[in-house]
Amino acid sequence: MNKISFPFFILCALLAVPLHASADDAYREELLQKARALNLHNERYWDILLHYQPRGGGRKSLVDDPNFFLSPQGKANPRAEMEADIAMFFFPAPAGTDPLRCEYIARYEWLKERLAIDETRLPGGACAAFDEFVKEADPQSAVLVFPAAHINGPASMFGHTLIRVDGRRESRLVSYAITYAATEVDTNGFLYAAKGLFGFYPGRYTILPYYEKIREYNDIGQRDIWEYNLNLTRPEVLRMLRHAWELRDRYADYYFFDENCSYVLLFLLESARPAAHLTDRFPVSALPIDTVRWARREGMVTSLVYRPSLATKILRTEAAFTGDDVRLVKDIAEGKISPEEGLRKPLPKETLAGIADTAADLANYMAAKREITEDEFTKRFIDTLRVRTTLGPAADNTAAAPPPPDEGHESARLGIGFGARGGARFAEFRWRPANHDLLDPDEGYLPGAHIDFLGATLRAYDGGREERLRLETMDFVNITSLSPFNRFFRPTSWKVNFGLAQGTFADGSEGMTFRLNPGGGLAAQWGNALSYAMVETEIRYGEGYEDRYTLGMGGGVGVLWPVTARYKIHLRGRALDFWVGDKHKAYEAALEQRLTLGGNAALKLFLNYAKVYGVDRNEALLALDVYF
């Protein structure tokens, strides 16, 4: 893609202007006057193309890359930016390059239409680079792609969205993908969450072949992909592609909750179909799955395709295999036995065919994870397929596709409940902006995943306490990932909880404390029940502690049991020995139950016993949760 740096572009422009005075100046002034008379800089489509949003009585673009603007005031001055763009149309390009307006082709095409610009009166010729890109992409239709979360990938916890532009080629792998993603991210879950919340990552727009994103998400990231086919017409797709062209390689500050991978892509959909109001739907936050839901509600989605990850494809066949079958799959994939030898075992042909298919997928998975080299994978893959062609069709033993993520419960949750603690009655108000916990209905979400950001709980006590209204907890980050062992993979389960929570002190009083509680361990699936055990540590800071802090270690166990599709139980317990700072021991056991009432409502019953500093305390709560 032929690109011109902004400083070079300005230098050329300034040098060229005196050579094109008189007639060019007159026509430029005519266009500027017409744009002012039509008040074009206040039209919604201009806001869409420049990503302007209301800010402090004015409008400000969400794009932070200065190269995206032609006026020094362009980020916060729509009129100045429009007039600078019109002036730019008259700048001649350096010899051998496309006209400068081709770099901003979406706004140029829109202004050309609205101002009836006579292109023969502008310097330069065709946009050769963009035209070549369009010829290669052959845009006919578009797809909103949702790579779902992977349970052990902190960076994937909210999912992701990108847009695929399809041509007339049969294979979708050679289509182009338009994506916006945070770059230079941390692999540490806590750092990733903290920096993502406050915009410390740059986000960048890119246009890449779709097969690269398949490799990244489907194969390496172990993330299932859902492809939502959109009903955009070819002219609409072309408009979107023009906007993607002028956004490519530009950056903006990336925020988890609003200016994220999904929200900014909505501008692309609106550039294609401005009648769709998508960016208006998210005044506070925009999770990827919520943007998919709104695209569907706007009537833009026609059909859905499920593309399971390599890991999912392997696990979907696991139940059909005996222990010996699994061993054979692994031996072939790991190169311990040749496919010629392994696939001649005295087994039914359809079983051997399934073993061959899964062994090929497992070898591909190992190559994607860099556990074997590409050369090793290629040899094992080809050798396996050579034998596979003699075996006929495999038995269809794969599990059914899970419910699509947009059919899950809404991301935000509001709860109100009543209970008693240590003999004192209370009313509780809980709010969670995003997005799922272990007891929420699993449809559309990953079972065993809990991700909670900025959830808060307030309680009002009914007498008997000095504090009648108090903040009970506030989770800045609360993530639990319970990934069970299986016969193919040995994942680690982990958790991290950082925030504010009421703590009990040595004199029996209570007060607010800072809490950091990370842990790691293992999980196992027993039928429908998911059990786990973790070693964990916890540090708390609070004025009520003798040394103002306390640090402990211990462990916790639990069982998560979805008794029915609507009723789940979570039984858990833990013990911690705080041996640094304010020394004491703490024990806790809890039974949580949630009954889904249908739609977006659920009842929760919570029973808890705790013993801290030798003082016993019981608690019970009945609450109604509403998802929205």
Side-chain angles (χ1 to χ4, degrees), residues 232-527:
L232 296 180
T233 64
R234 187 179 186 282
E236 289 174 330
V237 177
L238 187 57
R239 274 205 297 268
M240 182 174 68
L241 210 55
R242 292 192 192 108
H243 188 40
W245 179 261
E246 62 187 16
L247 279 170
R248 72 197 193 285
D249 298 329
R250 305 304 188 204
Y251 71 84
D253 295 337
Y254 190 98
Y255 293 85
F256 273 165
F257 277 128
D258 47 11
E259 299 174 39
N260 56 32
C261 60
S262 290
Y263 182 75
V264 299
L265 287 187
L266 297 179
F267 286 100
L268 281 164
L269 296 180
E270 289 184 337
S271 73
R273 184 175 293 173
H277 284 257
L278 296 169
T279 55
D280 305 344
R281 308 293 185 185
F282 305 96
V284 178
S285 64
L287 298 184
I289 191 55
D290 294 333
T291 64
V292 172
R293 290 189 179 112
W294 272 109
R296 189 186 276 277
R297 289 166 186 165
E298 286 282 343
M300 301 178 78
V301 176
T302 58
S303 57
L304 178 62
V305 175
Y306 174 55
R307 189 187 289 271
S309 70
L310 273 175
T312 299
K313 287 169 67 178
I314 294 167
L315 290 177
R316 290 174 76 192
T317 65
E318 183 193 10
F321 290 143
T322 66
D324 289 340
D325 295 341
V326 171
R327 186 69 260 160
L328 186 55
V329 167
K330 295 171 78 172
D331 285 347
I332 294 173
E334 293 168 1
K336 296 178 179 175
I337 185 173
S338 72
E340 287 79 6
E341 181 184 353
L343 297 176
R344 300 302 180 203
K345 300 279 186 184
L347 294 171
K349 276 195 171 183
E350 62 180 13
T351 300
L352 290 172
I355 290 172
D357 291 341
T358 306
D361 285 336
L362 185 57
N364 193 4
Y365 171 86
M366 294 168 67
K369 304 295 286 184
R370 300 184 184 278
E371 295 171 3
I372 60 174
T373 66
E374 284 296 324
D375 289 342
E376 289 172 326
F377 160 65
T378 301
K379 183 177 187 314
R380 292 172 198 174
F381 187 76
I382 292 175
D383 289 348
T384 302
L385 292 189
R386 187 178 297 117
V387 183
R388 171 68 179 86
T389 56
T390 67
L391 298 173
D396 185 12
N397 293 319
T398 55
D406 62 295
E407 292 184 5
H409 63 76
E410 300 286 341
S411 302
R413 193 181 71 194
L414 200 59
I416 185 167
F418 300 92
R421 184 170 191 267
R425 293 176 299 177
F426 63 84
E428 181 176 286
F429 174 84
R430 290 178 290 123
W431 176 68
R432 184 192 69 189
N435 79 334
H436 181 74
D437 70 30
L438 295 175
L439 278 177
D440 286 331
D442 285 331
E443 288 79 10
Y445 290 85
L446 289 171
H450 175 144
I451 180 166
D452 189 350
F453 279 84
L454 302 179
T457 303
L458 280 172
R459 281 185 180 177
Y461 282 91
D462 181 21
R465 286 175 173 271
E466 293 181 359
E467 288 181 283
R468 303 294 294 275
L469 178 65
R470 75 180 190 184
L471 177 66
E472 198 69 21
T473 62
M474 182 166 188
D475 294 323
F476 299 142
V477 179
N478 188 359
I479 302 174
T480 300
S481 174
L482 302 179
S483 185
F485 266 49
N486 57 72
R487 292 185 288 174
F488 285 108
F489 306 115
R490 297 287 184 268
T492 301
S493 296
W494 58 275
K495 72 173 187 177
V496 59
N497 185 352
F498 173 61
L500 304 174
Q502 290 289 332
T504 301
F505 305 124
D507 61 1
S509 65
E510 295 182 338
M512 186 56 68
T513 64
F514 285 97
R515 177 180 62 184
L516 174 62
N517 173 216
L522 303 173
Q525 192 81 43
W526 304 96

Side-chain angles (χ1 to χ4, degrees), residues 109-146:
E109 289 291 336
W110 182 68
L111 287 170
K112 185 176 76 171
E113 179 185 341
R114 298 290 282 117
L115 297 173
I117 294 175
D118 180 358
E119 206 167 53
T120 64
R121 300 178 67 177
L122 303 179
C127 296
F130 179 73
D131 291 345
E132 181 61 28
F133 170 64
V134 171
K135 182 180 177 182
E136 172 63 24
D138 185 27
Q140 302 295 322
S141 58
V143 179
L144 183 59
V145 180
F146 179 80

